[in-house]
Amino acid sequence: MTIRPREQTENNKRQPMEDSSKISDIQQHRLKTVYEHLEISDDARKRLIQPKQTVQVSIPVRMDDGSLRIFDGWRVQYDDTRGPSKGGIRFHEDVTIEEVTALSFWMTIKCSVVDLPFGGAKGGICVDPKTLSRLELERLSRGYVRAIYDFIGPDRDIPAPDVNTNATIMGWMADEYGQIARRQVPAVITGKPLGLGGSQGRVAATGRGALQVLDIWAKRSEKSPQDLTVAVQGFGNAGYHFARLAHEAGYKIVAVSDSKGAIYSRDGLNPEPVWNHKHKTRELKGMVYCDASVCDEADFTELTNEELLELDVDVLVLAALENAVTKKNAEGIRSALILEIANGPVSPEADSILADRDIEILPDVLVNSGGVIVSYLEWVQNRSGDYWSEEIVETRLAQRLEREANACFQLAEDENVSMRIAAYMQGIGRIAEAIDHRETQKYFNGQSN
C-alpha cells in the first residue's frame, strides 16, 4: 500500500458524479475517489470490487391467522481477508440485495478503519416488522437463522442488530443457532441480551463512540462543548444515546427529530425526557417539555425533518437512514460540521457541494464504529467466558477509538484530504496490505521477493 504523492491527485479535486439514491453508486464512487490518493495492488482492487459471497433465501412463516407468507432475505459477506465477516441484520420493507451488498462493503471498511480482526457483512429481510405480532416476528427471526445457518458462525460470519432489530431478536437468533448446533454458541451473534451472553455497554455504544469522535474533533479544533449547538436528525437508539451523552457533556442539543417530525428549542433540550415522552406517546409532535434549569414553561417550535436539516447550528447529526442529504438539499445546510451516525447519510454529490462550502464531515465509517467495536468485545467475552463490567467495556471502546480516530485526523491533515478520504485510506490500506501478504501478481511473476 502506497499513498500517492499529492501532485498526482489533481490538487485533491473531488470528482463529481450524478447524484443517485443507489447505495452501490455511492460505494463505487467512494472507491474511485480513494484510489486517486492511495496506490494499491491490482489484486486488492479486484478483490474489493465485489462481495465474496451472497446468499438469498426465502423464509416461510406461518402467520397467526393460519396463512403462510414467504419473506425474502439476504446475507452478503463482502470480504474476510482480515478475519470472519461481521455485520448487522436489518428488517425493513425497502431492503434490497443492492442495499445489503453496499452496506456489507461499508462494514468491511469500518472494521478495518478501527483495526478490528473482522471483515464485513450485512443481512436483511424485506418486511415491515411493525405489521407482525411478536410471535410472527420470532418465527421470522428463527426462520432466517435456519436459512443461513450453514453460512454463519463465530469463525466465519457474526451477525448483529441493525435497523428494526434489537437484543431480543438477536437472542432468538442465537438460541435458534444453538438449537440446530445442539450446543451453546453465544459468539455466533452479538448485540444479545445480557442474560444470553450480551455485553455491558452495547446498547449505547454507537452513540457513545460518535460522541467521542466529536469530542476529539472539538479538542483538535480548540472548541468547547458548551459553545456548540447540535441538531439531531434521527431519534432512534443511536441518536438518543448520542444526544443524551452529549447533553451530559455540555453540548447544547437544540433539536431532535424522528420519522414523524421534529422539535426545536433555542434554549436547548434535555434528550432523556424527550425520549421517555416519545416512548409513551410514540411521537415527538406536540410534546410539552421543559428543562427546569433553562425555563419555566415549554418553549418549542415544531419543525419538519427538512427544516431541521437547515437549522443554523454548529453540528448537524445525521442518525436516520441513507441519503438524508443529497444535491437537492445540500445548499440549504447551514451547520459548520456534519456528524454521520447513520450509514451513507450524505451522497457523493452532496459531499462535493458541502466541501465547496467548507462544511466539514466526520464520516460514518469512523463515527458509528462504536457499535461494532463493542460487538467485537462481546465476541471476545463469549469466546473466553470472561465477562467484563460496563466500565471496562467503555474504557476499551474509548482507548481504541482514541487511537484510530486520531490516526484518521492526522492522516487527513498530513495528506490534505477530507476526513472521509482519510478514513477510507486507513481502512482500505489495511485490507490491501493483508491481501498483498498473500502475495500478488508481481511475486508470482518473479518481479518481487
Side-chain angles (χ1 to χ4, degrees):
M1 183 268 292
T2 306
I3 295 175
R4 290 184 182 275
R6 272 183 213 151
E7 61 268 24
Q8 296 183 24
T9 66
E10 299 184 36
N11 296 319
N12 301 314
K13 290 182 180 178
R14 297 165 301 281
Q15 296 297 313
M17 67 169 287
E18 185 68 24
D19 200 41
S20 173
S21 61
K22 292 184 178 180
I23 305 179
S24 59
D25 291 344
I26 300 175
Q27 166 197 340
Q28 294 303 318
H29 186 266
R30 300 287 190 234
L31 280 174
K32 180 181 177 182
T33 303
V34 171
Y35 289 159
E36 294 170 2
H37 301 270
L38 192 65
E39 188 172 328
I40 65 174
S41 68
D42 288 340
D43 290 47
R45 292 187 184 216
K46 289 175 181 176
R47 288 281 294 274
L48 287 170
I49 203 169
Q50 60 187 5
K52 179 178 180 179
Q53 181 168 251
T54 299
V55 180
Q56 180 170 347
V57 298
S58 296
I59 309 160
V61 175
R62 184 67 61 186
M63 308 303 285
D64 290 347
D65 64 1
S67 64
L68 185 71
R69 284 184 62 186
I70 309 296
F71 296 89
D72 293 328
W74 300 271
R75 185 69 181 174
V76 177
Q77 296 157 2
Y78 202 92
D79 184 83
D80 61 0
T81 304
R82 288 168 48 85
S85 50
K86 185 83 184 75
I89 299 168
R90 60 176 50 186
F91 289 1
H92 198 279
E93 63 268 33
D94 295 327
V95 166
T96 64
I97 181 58
E98 179 189 67
E99 177 186 43
V100 174
T101 301
L103 290 168
S104 72
F105 166 78
W106 273 325
M107 279 302 303
T108 302
I109 303 301
K110 185 190 306 182
C111 289
S112 185
V113 167
V114 291
D115 203 21
L116 297 177
F118 288 146
K122 209 73 175 184
I125 300 176
C126 187
V127 60
D128 178 1
K130 297 175 184 176
T131 66
L132 303 183
S133 72
R134 293 183 177 184
L135 285 171
E136 290 168 341
L137 190 61
E138 181 185 12
R139 294 179 203 128
L140 177 63
S141 302
R142 291 180 179 275
Y144 178 71
V145 171
R146 290 194 297 272
I148 66 169
Y149 173 84
D150 292 330
F151 304 97
I152 62 175
D155 298 304
R156 183 171 184 179
D157 180 16
I158 307 116
D162 196 78
V163 174
N164 290 330
T165 55
N166 56 22
T168 298
I169 292 172
M170 294 305 106
W172 290 334
M173 290 185 174
D175 181 66
E176 187 67 23
Y177 187 94
Q179 289 190 36
I180 298 170
R182 295 185 179 275
R183 67 183 190 277
Q184 292 293 323
V185 194
V188 68
I189 301 272
T190 61
K192 305 179 294 296
L194 290 176
L196 296 178
S199 176
Q200 296 281 355
R202 176 62 181 85
V203 174
T206 302
R208 185 179 297 279
L211 176 60
Q212 185 175 353
V213 175
L214 178 61
D215 284 341
I216 293 170
W217 172 85
K219 183 177 180 180
R220 294 177 72 99
S221 303
E222 299 182 344
K223 296 180 183 295
S224 170
Q226 288 73 20
D227 297 329
L228 297 174
T229 55
V230 181
V232 181
Q233 186 222 26
F235 205 54
N237 179 71
Y240 160 64
H241 284 291
F242 165 82
R244 174 181 64 82
L245 294 167
H247 173 76
E248 292 173 3
Y251 294 89
K252 183 185 285 188
I253 310 298
V254 297
V256 297
S257 74
D258 62 10
S259 60
K260 297 180 180 179
I263 55 173
Y264 167 79
S265 174
R266 182 184 60 186
D267 294 323
L269 310 170
N270 183 337
E272 191 159 3
V274 176
W275 176 261
N276 292 337
H277 179 91
K278 170 182 164 68
H279 280 265
K280 285 180 181 178
T281 64
R282 312 306 299 175
E283 63 178 3
L284 295 176
K285 184 178 179 181
M287 190 195 75
V288 177
Y289 161 76
C290 176
D291 186 342
S293 65
V294 175
C295 60
D296 294 322
E297 295 183 35
D299 184 17
F300 282 95
T301 302
E302 293 181 5
L303 305 175
T304 64
N305 268 288
E306 291 74 21
E307 290 171 331
L308 179 140
L309 293 175
E310 297 182 356
L311 286 174
D312 185 8
V313 293
D314 297 303
V315 183
L316 173 62
V317 178
L318 301 177
L321 291 173
E322 300 85 15
N323 286 303
V325 179
T326 67
K327 68 177 182 180
K328 295 179 181 179
N329 60 2
E331 291 289 356
I333 303 298
R334 292 195 287 169
S335 64
L337 177 76
I338 289 178
L339 188 75
E340 294 185 333
I341 296 183
N343 289 311
V346 178
S347 74
E349 180 68 13
D351 243 355
S352 181
I353 295 170
L354 295 171
D356 288 339
R357 297 180 56 215
D358 294 325
I359 295 175
E360 191 172 358
I361 300 174
L362 299 184
D364 48 4
V365 291
L366 174 64
V367 170
N368 66 22
S369 63
V372 73
I373 291 173
V374 176
S375 276
Y376 161 70
L377 297 176
E378 179 178 332
W379 178 74
V380 170
Q381 292 170 82
N382 291 158
R383 291 169 72 90
S384 68
D386 180 20
Y387 289 85
W388 311 323
S389 68
E390 187 169 359
E391 182 181 2
I392 291 175
V393 170
E394 290 176 2
T395 297
R396 295 189 178 189
L397 165 63
Q399 288 172 340
R400 184 173 292 269
L401 260 182
E402 177 81 17
R403 181 182 71 237
E404 301 303 332
N406 273 310
C408 279
F409 279 109
Q410 194 60 50
L411 183 58
E413 183 178 319
D414 292 344
E415 297 302 315
N416 191 27
V417 296
S418 70
M419 274 294 291
R420 189 186 308 284
I421 292 175
Y424 272 72
M425 288 173 69
Q426 182 162 298
I428 291 176
R430 287 170 172 164
I431 298 168
E433 183 179 24
I435 290 172
D436 290 353
H437 281 319
R438 290 167 168 80
E439 301 306 342
T440 65
Q441 181 181 6
K442 287 184 178 181
Y443 173 82
F444 292 108
N445 284 343
Q447 298 174 344
S448 65
N449 295 325

